Amino acid sequence: MSETTHDGAVAVSAPPSADDGLSPAELAAKYGLSVSGARVGLGEYIRLMWGRRHFILAFSSAKLTAQYSQAKLGQVWQVATPLLNAAVYFFIFGLLLKSSRGMENDVYIPFLVTGVFVFTFTQASAMAGVRAISGNLGLVRALHFPRASLPISFSLQQLQQLLFSMIVLVIVLVGFGHYPSFAWLLIIPTLALQFVFNTGLSLIMARMGAKTPDLAQLLPFILRTWMYASGVMFPLARTLQHAGASKWMSDAMLGNPAAVYMDLMRYALIDDYTSANLPPHVWALALGWAVLFGAGGFVYFWKAEEQYGRG
């Protein structure tokens, strides 16, 4: 098509394009384009996660190494921090408030240190998870990878830190006369179930924290309440019985996941912590919490894959 301009020249216009009148979605479909960061199917997402397993391991190890790189004592703080917390709790709850409920110190101190270390594992996983996306927006926006890699790597980091702390825990146990036995093998399934639970919790916190960054400021208060309600510093069953708590309240508090995993670990490690201290069906509860939060948290996080790093 041509037309004459005011100076007599002939201007030739481009012929109409075959794409004229197509919407952006139709153009994308025509040329095989897809949305950047679009959510893939759950099966494909799991396959992509498996393909990034080396990144997850390397990222968690690097974070663990860098965590105390500016401190003079370095990695010593990995075990010193929960140990100092246990010392403070022993002074307040063991000496001042007499919360041991008849336990001798050779049982109560290992009981307390075990509870602090195990609960710190869950607490730190939740705190790391809530900042997993909001605290790494540069990485999220710069690279294309399954975003679940971040909260999972942070949970793995906390597991590695707990394993370092277990060395100190073993020294405490032996120092108070609790020697290795076959029951200690129960540590492996207990930690495995707690790790799955913590990972699911971290994934849930990561999605919520990505949408509401202020949750990171509120979460410490929630976790502190959870700690006091889980019997970290005192035998929960005896305390509830002494307080005359109703059966439904006792069952709810004894069945909460933090209390369950602490009870299993104490049962495995402490000679005088018998099965009478455990809530009914404790292994079923431990497995149920792990499956519920592990699988549910992963699906919950995956559902919002397209939203992370946007806005």
Side-chain angles (χ1 to χ4, degrees):
M1 181 182 295
S2 62
E3 59 181 12
T4 303
T5 63
H6 68 279
D7 57 359
V10 177
V12 179
S13 60
S17 171
D19 295 336
D20 288 349
L22 295 179
S23 67
E26 292 170 334
L27 285 171
K30 178 178 179 180
Y31 292 101
L33 303 178
S34 60
V35 178
S36 177
R39 188 185 74 199
V40 298
L42 185 58
E44 176 65 13
Y45 192 73
I46 294 173
R47 189 190 68 80
L48 291 174
M49 288 291 302
W50 177 250
R52 300 296 192 279
R53 62 190 183 278
H54 301 299
F55 163 75
I56 294 172
L57 289 170
F59 189 75
S60 64
S61 298
K63 282 288 185 181
L64 182 64
T65 302
Q67 186 173 359
Y68 299 105
S69 60
Q70 302 300 317
K72 289 186 178 181
L73 294 180
Q75 303 304 311
V76 173
W77 287 109
Q78 291 184 23
V79 294
T81 299
L83 200 57
L84 288 173
N85 282 333
V88 171
Y89 295 144
F90 173 69
F91 175 72
I92 296 174
F93 292 92
L95 297 180
L96 296 183
L97 299 180
K98 304 294 183 182
S99 300
S100 59
R101 297 295 175 192
M103 286 185 182
E104 298 295 332
N105 282 343
D106 61 342
V107 175
Y108 180 66
I109 292 176
F111 170 93
L112 177 62
V113 175
T114 301
V116 170
F117 280 22
V118 172
F119 187 82
T120 299
F121 180 27
T122 295
Q123 181 183 46
S125 297
M127 286 300 303
V130 79
R131 297 188 178 95
I133 301 299
S134 60
N136 294 277
L137 285 178
L139 183 63
V140 170
R141 290 170 176 169
L143 300 175
H144 179 65
F145 62 96
R147 308 312 188 198
S149 302
L150 292 176
I152 291 175
S153 68
F154 284 122
S155 293
L156 187 58
Q157 174 194 345
Q158 300 308 321
L159 176 62
Q160 292 173 323
Q161 184 159 335
L162 177 65
L163 293 178
F164 282 111
S165 301
M166 292 293 287
I167 299 172
V168 177
L169 178 57
V170 169
I171 294 173
V172 171
L173 288 164
V174 173
F176 284 94
H178 302 277
Y179 300 104
S181 65
F182 284 111
W184 284 29
L185 294 176
L186 295 175
I187 294 173
I188 298 172
T190 300
L191 283 184
L193 292 173
Q194 188 183 7
F195 172 69
V196 174
F197 168 81
N198 288 355
T199 301
L201 180 62
S202 182
L203 287 161
I204 293 170
M205 291 295 103
R207 175 173 172 177
M208 295 173 67
K211 184 177 181 180
T212 311
D214 287 350
L215 183 60
Q217 309 304 320
L218 178 63
L219 190 58
F221 300 98
I222 298 173
L223 292 171
R224 195 172 304 137
T225 303
W226 191 13
M227 178 181 68
Y228 290 130
S230 300
V232 174
M233 291 80 63
F234 48 83
L236 187 58
R238 296 183 193 177
T239 302
L240 290 169
Q241 184 179 8
H242 180 77
S246 61
K247 187 179 186 304
W248 71 266
M249 180 177 291
S250 297
D251 290 343
M253 294 185 69
L254 291 171
N256 96 74
V260 167
Y261 295 122
M262 279 189 293
D263 275 335
L264 285 175
M265 191 66 73
R266 286 162 172 165
Y267 173 66
L269 296 174
I270 302 173
D271 295 338
D272 297 329
Y273 197 80
T274 65
S275 58
N277 298 92
L278 298 177
H281 315 298
V282 62
W283 282 106
L285 283 171
L287 178 61
W289 283 123
V291 172
L292 178 64
F293 273 75
F298 186 81
V299 172
Y300 177 73
F301 183 91
W302 162 75
K303 286 282 190 178
E305 179 77 7
E306 295 177 334
Q307 302 172 18
Y308 303 129
R310 301 185 183 275

